[in-house]
């Protein structure tokens, strides 16, 4: 399949993971990378043997069809709109935007121009999450009842060199980590119909402990602990907790309940991980995952899927409608917390199609539920 010219804008912390992963997908032809910090772009360019360019050059280059937007969240919409104005498809790091109104404008603009919008996370395309999807679709869980989604940690200032944006407007645990969990839940259960939620901030300042800003204090301008409930259109009710204020916990990342079974889904911030299935009356058993994209960091698999979709004319999976729906759900938790009411979700989205073709060579395959093997070490009570 003909390669797709790619331009990358934003050379921060996440760009290394993207550049490493892109090498696994022959359809992606990186034509240049850019950043407002020219020295950072040159550093990444030297590391990955690509060309450092300025933003205007990337947007004007007719050989570049898709801009991958890896800027900080506040800049996602501005950069994406510049790409659309230049006639480029665009794929952004998560979240699609820092507020629903801007995200809606962006998706509408792409539709008007006949261009595609894509957005992370794409981890739901990983082998373990696709296996979990096949298990749900098989009906073995019975009627979906509910579940839990949990990410809680002490905060990113422990390790991130510049954690300020996590605690600024447009940041916080819901917008930072919520996209992974909610996107995977939409992949597994379908769209959300309404939410309820509460949000708090335990501290007004955070102290950075990562080098080289160790000891520097930064302000907190957003809630840092969010708890809520999502009602899905299929009737399932899922509890969610996202926090930068918790020292430690023993919850699993994702757990789904049905009338006939329970499914433990691995961390949706990763592509692989152990799946466990309990059938009513039995014990938890491990489910093997032999599908591709389960062992490794495939950050950019969504870009590769989008590139193949552009070339073949099919829909891409990590698409703008999905990202906009997830953004509305995340914003609704804060609205629910502020108003003390349940908030209905206005956007509709389809569950992304199960991954059925290789994103390396485009060949069609068939995902299947793998053999379940009993493990005496994974039983839970």
């Amino acid at each position: 399949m003909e390669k797709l010219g790619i331009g990358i804008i934003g050379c921060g912390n996440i760009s290394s993971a993207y550049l490493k992963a892109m090498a696994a997908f022959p359809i992606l032809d990186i034509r240049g990378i850019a950043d407002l910090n020219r020295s950072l772009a040159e550093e990444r360019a030297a590391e990955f043997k690509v060309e450092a360019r300025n933003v205007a050059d990337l947007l004007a280059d007719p050989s570049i069809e898709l801009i991958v937007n890896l800027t900080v969240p506040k800049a996602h919409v501005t950069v994406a709109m510049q790409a659309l104005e230049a006639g480029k498809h665009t794929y952004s790091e998560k979240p699609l935007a820092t507020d629903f109104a801007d995200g809606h404008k962006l998706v509408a603009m792409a539709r008007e121009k006949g261009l595609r919008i894509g957005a992370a996370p794409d981890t739901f395309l990983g082998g373990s999450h696709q296996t979990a999807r096949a298990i749900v679709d098989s009906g073995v869980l019975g009627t979906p009842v509910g579940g839990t989604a949990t990410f809680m940690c002490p905060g990113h200032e422990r390790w991130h060199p510049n954690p300020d944006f996590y605690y600024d407007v447009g940041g916080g645990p819901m917008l930072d980590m919520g996209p992974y969990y909610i996107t995977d839940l939409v992949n597994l259960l379908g769209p959300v119909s309404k939410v309820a939620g509460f949000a708090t901030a335990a501290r007004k300042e955070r102290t950075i402990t990562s080098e080289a800003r160790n000891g520097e204090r930064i302000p907190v301008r957003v809630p840092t602990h969010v708890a809520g409930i999502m009602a899905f259109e299929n009737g399932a009710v899922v509890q969610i907790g996202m926090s930068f204020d918790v020292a430690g916990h023993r919850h699993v990342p994702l757990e789904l309940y049905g009338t006939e079974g329970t499914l433990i889904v691995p961390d949706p911030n990763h592509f692989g991980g152990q799946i466990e299935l309990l059938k009513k009356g039995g014990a938890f058993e491990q489910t093997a995952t032999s599908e591709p994209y389960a062992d490794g960091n495939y950050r950019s698999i969504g870009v590769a899927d989008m590139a193949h979709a552009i070339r073949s004319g099919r829909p891409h999976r990590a698409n703008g409608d999905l990202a906009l729906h997830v953004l509305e759900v995340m914003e609704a938790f804060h609205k629910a917390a502020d108003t003390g009411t349940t908030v209905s979700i206005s956007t509709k989205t389809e569950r992304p199609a199960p991954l059925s073709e290789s994103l390396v060579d485009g060949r069609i395959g068939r995902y299947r539920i793998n053999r379940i093997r009993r493990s005496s070490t994974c039983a839970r009570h």
Side-chain angles (χ1 to χ4, degrees):
M1 191 171 286
E2 181 187 355
K3 290 177 178 288
L4 195 82
I6 305 292
I8 298 174
I9 299 176
C11 298
N13 206 50
I14 196 65
S15 63
S16 290
Y18 270 81
L19 285 159
K20 287 176 184 175
M22 282 182 174
F25 302 108
I27 196 171
L28 303 179
D29 184 9
I30 302 172
R31 302 291 177 90
I33 61 175
D35 195 283
L36 292 179
N37 181 343
R38 177 73 184 191
S39 63
L40 184 57
E42 290 175 348
E43 181 182 321
R44 286 283 185 269
E47 183 181 358
F48 291 97
K49 296 180 174 55
V50 295
E51 183 181 359
R53 303 169 66 178
N54 62 50
V55 172
D57 285 346
L58 291 184
L59 296 177
D61 187 341
S63 73
I64 292 175
E65 297 178 62
L66 172 62
I67 294 293
V68 177
N69 178 6
L70 304 182
T71 58
V72 295
K74 278 187 174 181
H76 284 178
V77 170
T78 299
V79 172
M81 284 186 168
Q82 289 175 343
L84 294 174
E85 288 287 1
K88 315 292 187 188
H89 306 290
T90 181
Y91 181 98
S92 292
E93 239 305 295
K94 52 82 188 168
L96 177 69
T98 56
D99 67 75
F100 176 70
D102 282 347
H104 190 273
K105 289 177 186 176
L106 182 60
V107 171
M109 182 179 178
R111 188 170 290 117
E112 289 170 6
K113 291 183 174 293
L115 295 167
R116 296 188 185 225
I117 287 276
D122 54 6
T123 44
F124 71 91
L125 296 173
S128 290
H129 300 285
Q130 288 295 302
T131 299
R133 166 68 179 265
I135 291 171
V136 172
D137 288 353
S138 76
V140 70
L141 298 183
T143 302
V145 174
T148 61
T150 307
F151 172 86
M152 296 189 289
C153 76
H156 293 339
E157 67 273 19
R158 299 165 299 146
W159 61 271
H160 199 284
N162 295 294
D164 312 60
F165 70 92
Y166 289 113
Y167 301 100
D168 203 352
V169 175
M174 183 56 74
L175 276 178
D176 177 45
M177 297 303 297
Y180 297 107
Y181 290 75
I182 299 170
T183 301
D184 204 22
L185 285 167
V186 173
N187 170 56
L188 295 168
L189 298 174
V192 178
S193 61
K194 57 186 174 181
V195 308
F198 297 87
T200 63
R203 286 163 280 178
K204 294 182 178 180
E205 289 185 326
R206 312 286 289 225
T207 301
I208 299 174
T209 55
S210 63
E211 300 296 343
R213 296 174 61 189
N214 188 20
E216 185 178 335
R217 299 180 72 83
I218 55 175
V220 174
R221 297 189 174 96
V222 291
T224 49
H225 185 94
V226 182
I229 297 174
M230 292 174 282
F232 286 77
E233 288 187 1
N234 71 351
V237 176
V238 176
Q239 301 161 254
I240 187 169
M242 300 280 121
S243 183
F244 290 161
D245 290 324
V246 174
H249 65 90
R250 300 182 73 176
H251 298 288
V252 298
L254 286 172
E255 197 166 31
L256 297 184
Y257 313 130
T259 55
E260 304 302 317
T262 294
L263 185 67
I264 306 296
V265 182
D267 188 344
N269 192 17
H270 299 286
F271 295 87
Q274 184 60 61
I275 298 169
E276 298 174 35
L277 174 64
L278 175 147
K279 295 179 182 179
K280 188 166 64 176
F284 277 101
E285 300 176 337
Q286 293 183 350
T287 300
T289 302
S290 62
E291 283 82 355
Y293 318 122
D295 184 17
N297 187 352
Y298 293 97
R299 230 42 84 167
S300 78
I301 191 174
V303 181
D305 177 65
M306 188 173 176
H308 277 277
I310 290 169
R311 286 288 179 255
S312 63
R314 64 166 172 81
H316 60 287
R317 294 173 172 91
N319 59 68
D321 288 340
L322 173 61
L324 184 64
H325 180 73
V326 171
L327 177 60
E328 185 182 13
V329 171
M330 293 188 296
E331 188 173 280
F333 285 114
H334 294 282
K335 285 184 179 178
D338 290 341
T339 62
T341 61
T342 299
V343 177
S344 296
I345 304 303
S346 65
T347 54
K348 304 296 180 183
T349 189
E350 299 291 332
R351 295 171 77 197
L355 191 59
S356 58
E357 68 277 356
S358 166
L359 298 178
V360 174
D361 56 23
R363 289 184 300 175
I364 302 298
R366 184 172 66 85
Y367 282 82
R368 64 191 184 281
I369 302 173
N370 291 280
R371 179 177 58 86
I372 298 172
R373 64 177 186 272
R374 184 69 174 266
S375 171
S376 61
T377 62
C378 66
R380 302 183 193 274
H381 302 284

